[in-house]
Amino acid sequence: MNGDRTDARDAPPGRLFVYNGGFLAPRVRRILALAGWRLTTGRPGPSDRVGVWGRSPTAHRGEAIAARTGVPIVRVEDAFLRSVRTGRSGEPPLGLLIDRRGVHFDPSEPSDIERLLATHPLDDTALLDRARAAVERLRAAHLSKYNMFDPGVDPPEPGYVLVIDQTAGDASVRASGAGPDRFREMLAFARIEHPGARILLRTHPETAAGQRAGHFDDRDEDARTLRFSDPVSPWALLEGAVAVYTLSSQMGFEAILAGHRPRVFGQPFYAGWGLSEDETPPPRRTRRLTRAQLAACALILAPTWYDPCRDRLCEVEDVIDHLEARVRACREDRRGYVATGMRLWKRRPLQGFYGTQKALLFEDRPARAAAQAAARGVPLLAWAGRADETLDAATARTGTELKRVEDGFLRSRGLGAELVPPLSLVADDLGIYYDPRRESRLERAVIEAATLPPERLARAERLIERLRRGGVTKYNTGARALPPLPEGRRLLVPGQVEDDASIRAGCTGEARTNLALLEAARAAEPDAVILYKPHPDVEAGLRAGHVLQEQTDRLADAVLSGVDAATALAACEGVWTLTSATGFEALIRGLPVTCLGAPFYAGWGLTVDRAPVPDRRQAARPTLAALVHAALIAYPRYRDPVSGLPCPVEVVLDRLEAGLPPSRGPANRALAKAQGWLAGHAHLWR
């Protein structure tokens, strides 16, 4: 009988009979369906399974039916990286633990995760390296099960003992046979074992949100004991702790990953493996594990992870990518914004990027916008090209934080001048990436990325390979066939919009026009085959920068009219540019780049620089992967046009590679043509 039951539990997924409301949640049903389970109700047959939600109050319904029919139970719980907000807020999970034997927090019978920890070899180097890298990313991004932490709230002064509270009636507390008395016993041990030390009673996020009561109250506080409910990340709290006490909280697991040896008063899944001081160790857990082995089971092997943008099952790395994007958006936008200098057509995309927490308030008058932002205590968003000295003075006068907004480097399939909305934006609180006259947040990201370990840069290396292979660029306007090209060493000279802010700010020498760029390239490379590629906005008649045909006939060997940047780069062996993003795309493809201006990618030792670049960029010598990490991962934010969610760069690459059509209607196209009539007066609408 036991053998039959074990075989049934190990059989492939099939029909799963459920009887409680937790399985009505669309996300839960979708994850289970993708994992092969077919949810239904009624009376299960011999080859079916009964699904229950962990040890929830309604689990008894399914347990009773399973007992009567002899059908195995499958217990479902949230995985260890759940969501931004708590489950009680209504936000769905990013993964599930689908357990055929028990439930991870209940020691009464071995769960699937305990079985993995006890029997899996856990000796694969690649698996353990993945686990270490995942933990490092969680620590660096301050990611946990729930993630409504406020980066503006400072953690307490280091040197305290951390005692972790949990919600009253929590199933993991009941499963460990504990209650309020056990928590007070745990506090007593902390006081006795650390005489004179400060003690922080860390409140559970659901208790801090007013959703569920905890075990500690004001009666437990004294001169050295304080309840702590500030929205500080667990990783920041663990960094400042000298000791950690827990009953069965997931934060005890994170304490182990952070390098602590927590004192454990219950029997959670992470107890008993030699990584904690266990008050009541489960006797059957005799194996000794490393932190990486524990993380490999809990983060990689045991959970079923879900990607909500791509609607598919995925790996933990994809979940971390997604959660980083979601959490960043929530943390940065939590207070809301006032926005100024935003043209009407840009406002809807801006709401999608920055207004999901609180709707943006648009105000066209800069001084009034700065005053409103100051009165509300929120940052001011301004389109970078319209953020002038007047706005700087207004924000300085009111003490308002100013963030300059611009398109990112993987923007769209189609031109911004044709009113195609962006897939990526940047909001820079220091300067803006194209203006070398002041430090930008991108420069700091490059300097930081230059010191990242190889495993943190591996994502950027994969990104470089995808960009090379897929031919994705900033605008992706579509590849017109190349004209017949002369033989020889071909150099691409990309034209730019001559009144563009990047040229006004980044070109301090004589070369400030497309004609001057062509002349400089021809003078320095008299024997090269020079291919001139006009800027798409200029070709479309929407912006300034046209070079006369007699001038291109004299200076260039061919004009690549209407040719996509990726196609042009594939035909060349080098690039000469003022400040064009095409220079960055050339670096990604391994081509040498000569700059006559000071674009964001110049001055780091990766380009030939013929114009002054900021001395501050001498502080780092990043690799190409580090530059890409800063420019495409750390600096911009992305929004998935399919799901509408904040997303990682890889999702936007998926959309662009799939040929996502530009999102603009007839009204936008008509307005784009009207803008073409005003190409010589772009300051009126840009």
Side-chain angles (χ1 to χ4, degrees), residues 423-474:
L423 302 179
S424 66
L425 290 172
V426 303
D428 197 316
D429 61 337
L430 297 177
I432 192 64
Y433 67 83
Y434 59 71
D435 188 348
R437 296 170 297 184
R438 71 173 89 195
E439 183 186 23
S440 71
R441 187 60 65 178
L442 177 55
E443 287 184 352
R444 289 196 183 179
V446 174
I447 292 170
E448 180 180 347
T451 62
L452 289 177
E455 57 270 20
R456 290 286 305 280
L457 293 177
R459 183 181 176 194
E461 296 279 9
R462 293 191 296 271
L463 202 54
I464 290 169
E465 286 303 311
R466 279 193 67 180
L467 290 167
R468 289 176 176 175
R469 185 174 63 249
V472 172
T473 58
K474 183 174 183 177

Side-chain angles (χ1 to χ4, degrees), residues 576-639:
W576 276 62
T577 183
L578 295 171
T579 60
S580 172
T582 302
F584 176 54
E585 292 161 352
L587 289 177
I588 288 174
R589 288 155 177 81
L591 299 177
V593 177
T594 299
C595 299
L596 273 63
F600 72 91
Y601 51 85
W604 306 105
L606 299 171
T607 54
V608 176
D609 301 319
R610 292 181 168 240
V613 293
D615 290 339
R616 61 183 176 270
R617 296 187 188 176
Q618 301 297 316
R621 281 294 174 262
T623 62
L624 175 61
L627 179 67
V628 168
H629 188 283
L632 297 184
I633 296 174
Y635 189 51
R637 279 172 43 180
Y638 299 90
R639 181 174 181 267

Side-chain angles (χ1 to χ4, degrees), residues 64-94:
I65 293 173
R68 287 199 302 270
T69 60
V71 172
I73 289 177
V74 174
R75 297 189 186 272
V76 179
E77 266 284 350
D78 293 328
F80 302 119
L81 296 171
R82 188 195 183 281
S83 50
V84 178
R85 295 174 178 81
T86 64
R88 291 178 181 271
S89 70
E91 187 171 341
L94 290 169

